[in-house]
Amino acid sequence: MKFVDEFREPELALRLVAQIRETATRRWVLMDVCGGQTHSLLRYGIELALEECVELIHGPGCPVCVTSCESIDFALHLAMLPNVIVASFGDMLRVPGSRESLLDVRARGGRVQMVYSPMDAVELAKNHPNCKVVFFAVGFETTAPATALAALHAEQLGLDNFRILVTHVRVLPAMEALMLSPVNRVQAFLAAGHVCAVTGFAEYDAFVDRFRVPVVVTGFEPIDLLQGIVDAVQQLESGSHSVSNCYTRSVGRQGNINAQNIVETVYEVADRDWRGFGSIQKGGLRLRNRFERFDAEKRFEPIAVNPIASANACLSSQVLSGQIKPTQCPHFGNACTPDSPLGAPMVSSEGACAAYFRYQWLQSK
Ligand code: SF4
């Protein structure tokens, strides 16, 4: 298959692995900030192949995993209100809040609908004029344009029963929070190719200058990832730091201007709670005043924050900040499995715990 097979070429992959081993004079710590990359690194055995010269750690790159407990609890509350339907993507329905998930609430009679796109939720609102339909909008800069389009479409249709619970997050402020953490170990980042396809990578220049850390825009296939790691290791070995683009077939410096304009029209930058990190300054988006009639946080009464939210046994904050590997969590593979997850990283198809479970733990059994 064009544009896929050539990026899974085993001989080239082995040559790149050998190049990384030859280049590295010590074991470097690289972080990806993308669940898709995490899964590819595990699935194709790259993490194990480079174990001696590169430690790959997996940051807060899974959108479902970083959605705050408080936001999920609010969605659970809304789903139990009369004449309210909460709609979201499949992964989001399984992620536990402080006590239960949207699927649990549905089992108790709450109205919860899985959708494949924000436009499906607009359609749902159109078809249920007597209900308020709340789209639970999660994700990074990659999904924000689609929810922005849904808001514009709902405005065009004059819908007054459509709401959006916005929890969109921005990657760069989270990378800054990681670098400022006293327990930070990251020496170079693999930047998420799909996020950069939207945002471009010009905004990483200031980050690289400030923290003197290489950032390499990287794709998702094994060759993409290995080329990104080669670049990062070469920079680290030479003591340099710059933004480098190893995903040129999809990413340009300025990104997708149309998508950026749509997001800019509908959203403004705001502080946002990230699961495992707390509030991150400028770490997310919120609807602009023009769209406040769709804003679930403004149109429904707030609920009291559960003081034990996030205080369950899950160690996702340590996993998402790269302090521990999923396999170092005492619950991994016993109390916590994809069939009975204790935390979001084991639920999501992009979660780091799910990746380790699927590609390392199961295969070693
Ligand atoms: S293995 Fe389960 S409990 Fe441990 S960090 Fe991952 S999701 Fe949380």
Side-chain angles (χ1 to χ4, degrees):
M1 189 190 298
K2 190 145 175 64
F3 299 128
V4 174
D5 290 347
E6 58 267 57
F7 294 97
R8 294 180 182 172
E9 177 38 62
E11 281 181 19
L12 177 54
L14 288 173
R15 284 206 299 276
L16 290 167
V17 167
Q19 187 181 353
I20 295 164
R21 286 185 182 147
E22 281 162 20
T23 308
T25 57
R26 50 165 288 188
R27 194 169 186 239
W28 297 104
V29 181
L30 272 57
M31 175 180 270
D32 69 77
V33 200
C34 166
Q37 290 178 342
T38 301
H39 275 248
S40 286
L41 290 166
L42 272 291
R43 178 180 174 192
Y44 293 106
I46 294 172
E47 181 159 318
L48 281 177
L50 298 176
E51 208 172 16
E52 283 166 21
C53 53
V54 176
E55 183 184 353
L56 291 164
I57 55 177
H58 314 290
C62 154
V64 166
C65 305
V66 301
T67 304
S68 75
C69 241
E70 290 77 9
S71 298
I72 297 172
D73 284 351
F74 190 48
L76 302 177
H77 160 76
L78 296 180
M80 291 304 288
L81 294 179
N83 299 321
V84 173
I85 302 172
V86 172
S88 198
F89 303 127
D91 269 3
M92 199 61 237
L93 306 194
R94 297 183 62 219
V95 177
S98 57
R99 275 193 296 267
E100 54 187 352
S101 68
L102 281 166
L103 280 186
D104 296 327
V105 160
R106 185 160 77 179
R108 291 199 289 112
R111 296 187 73 178
V112 175
Q113 177 76 44
M114 188 184 92
V115 290
Y116 292 100
S117 84
M119 286 299 189
D120 290 348
V122 175
E123 209 49 34
L124 202 62
K126 228 170 77 179
N127 295 334
H128 292 78
N130 298 323
C131 289
K132 294 184 177 67
V133 171
V134 182
F135 179 66
F136 190 7
V138 300
F140 296 103
E141 290 91 336
T142 39
T143 48
T147 57
L149 270 179
L152 288 168
H153 189 49
E155 183 186 57
Q156 218 171 35
L157 294 175
L159 286 181
D160 61 7
N161 66 331
F162 181 63
R163 307 281 183 269
I164 310 178
L165 176 56
V166 178
T167 65
H168 285 306
V169 286
R170 301 172 64 237
V171 173
L172 189 53
M175 289 166 63
E176 287 167 355
L178 281 163
M179 290 307 293
L180 292 170
S181 162
V183 292
N184 172 56
R185 298 192 305 124
V186 181
Q187 294 170 304
F189 283 98
L190 302 179
H194 56 349
V195 169
C196 294
V198 175
T199 62
F201 54 88
E203 61 176 2
Y204 288 104
D205 288 343
F207 175 84
V208 162
D209 288 344
R210 179 179 174 196
F211 295 107
R212 305 176 69 79
V213 59
V215 172
V216 183
V217 181
T218 306
F220 303 87
E221 297 298 334
I223 302 300
D224 293 320
L225 288 158
L226 287 164
Q227 284 173 335
I229 295 168
V230 167
D231 190 301
V233 169
Q234 283 174 339
Q235 288 198 49
L236 289 165
E237 287 289 338
S238 66
S240 61
H241 52 273
S242 64
V243 186
S244 177
N245 182 13
C246 286
Y247 198 35
T248 51
R249 71 182 183 282
S250 297
V251 176
R253 183 171 170 78
Q254 299 309 326
N256 183 330
I257 302 293
N258 287 336
Q260 291 167 25
N261 287 341
I262 290 166
V263 170
E264 177 69 22
T265 301
V266 174
Y267 293 116
E268 59 190 8
V269 170
D271 298 349
R272 170 83 45 214
D273 277 349
W274 286 56
R275 190 185 282 228
F277 286 75
S279 178
I280 295 184
Q281 209 182 9
K282 299 183 179 178
L285 300 172
R286 68 174 170 223
L287 289 166
R288 290 187 181 277
N289 285 340
R290 171 180 156 190
F291 298 93
E292 68 181 357
R293 67 189 166 113
F294 300 131
D295 193 338
E297 285 182 306
K298 291 184 178 166
R299 299 301 304 275
F300 293 99
E301 286 296 315
I303 56 168
V305 173
N306 182 347
I308 61 152
S310 312
N312 67 15
C314 176
L315 302 186
S316 63
S317 61
Q318 291 174 55
V319 169
L320 295 173
S321 58
Q323 290 173 57
I324 62 167
K325 297 268 188 189
T327 45
Q328 292 172 288
C329 170
H331 311 295
F332 180 90
N334 44 68
C336 184
T337 67
D339 287 336
S340 73
L342 285 180
M346 190 60 96
V347 175
S348 168
S349 57
E350 294 187 64
C353 299
Y356 277 80
F357 186 89
R358 185 168 178 191
Y359 299 118
Q360 276 194 9
W361 192 79
L362 272 186
Q363 285 169 23
S364 69
K365 297 288 136 188

